[in-house]
Amino acid sequence: MISLAQFAKNITESVVECHPRLEVGLSKVGGLAQSLAAEYIGHEMPGWPPLKQSTIEDKERRGFDVPAPLLRTGKMRDSIHFEVEPFALELTLGSTSPIAHYQEMGTEHIQARPFLMAGVSNSMPYAADVFAKIAVSLLTGKK
């Protein structure tokens, strides 16, 4: 157990370290969310609708793996990235592929297959662990 004076000293020192540590934590969570989102492409995921027969036939005709939802050339998968906005401490996961938006959200003709949101959602337990460890280290002064 630490004294109140030591706790106050730890808090004062932690103020300087808080923002950089939170940035690192966001980067760790972003990396996991990015990896998960990329892994989902090409695999049938719970909650996703099955591919239409016409899509399967088109993929077969063009020589792509079947069913492998969302995967053709791998460009969309490889375009997934995350950014940490350091001033606001915000994490953004996205894709530079214009097709990703249609696949994620769906359209009149495409059923939604949310891979980005799934990556973020499924990284939340890890995020809780990462930020809990950061909080404990800041409050205790232990690295």
Side-chain angles (χ1 to χ4, degrees):
M1 187 158 168
I2 64 173
S3 69
L4 187 57
Q6 182 61 48
F7 180 72
K9 182 179 183 262
N10 291 348
I11 293 295
T12 302
E13 291 172 356
S14 293
V15 168
V16 175
E17 296 180 34
C18 186
H19 201 95
R21 287 198 190 177
L22 292 174
E23 281 185 63
V24 170
L26 285 172
S27 291
K28 289 179 179 181
V29 174
L32 177 62
Q34 177 182 342
S35 295
L36 291 174
E39 283 179 24
Y40 300 151
I41 293 176
H43 301 281
E44 295 176 339
M45 300 300 296
W48 285 6
L51 293 178
K52 293 179 182 175
Q53 187 59 36
S54 60
T55 301
I56 292 172
E57 290 170 2
D58 181 64
K59 288 181 79 169
E60 287 175 335
R61 186 171 47 257
R62 295 171 187 247
F64 296 119
D65 290 340
V66 176
L70 305 184
L71 181 62
R72 289 194 183 223
T73 65
K75 286 182 183 178
M76 184 175 71
R77 178 196 58 221
D78 297 343
S79 75
I80 298 170
H81 66 282
F82 75 92
E83 295 176 6
V84 173
E85 203 301 305
F87 183 73
L89 289 174
E90 294 177 344
L91 170 66
T92 304
L93 179 69
S95 168
T96 55
S97 170
I99 296 168
H101 177 77
Y102 305 127
Q103 297 294 357
E104 181 79 15
M105 305 301 290
T107 68
E108 181 181 338
H109 304 289
I110 298 172
Q111 291 183 299
R113 290 181 177 84
F115 59 98
L116 295 169
M117 194 60 211
V120 170
S121 294
N122 292 330
S123 66
M124 288 300 102
Y126 176 68
D129 185 52
V130 165
F131 291 110
K133 287 178 181 174
I134 291 170
V136 168
S137 73
L138 289 170
L139 292 172
T140 62
K142 296 179 181 176
K143 307 258 181 196

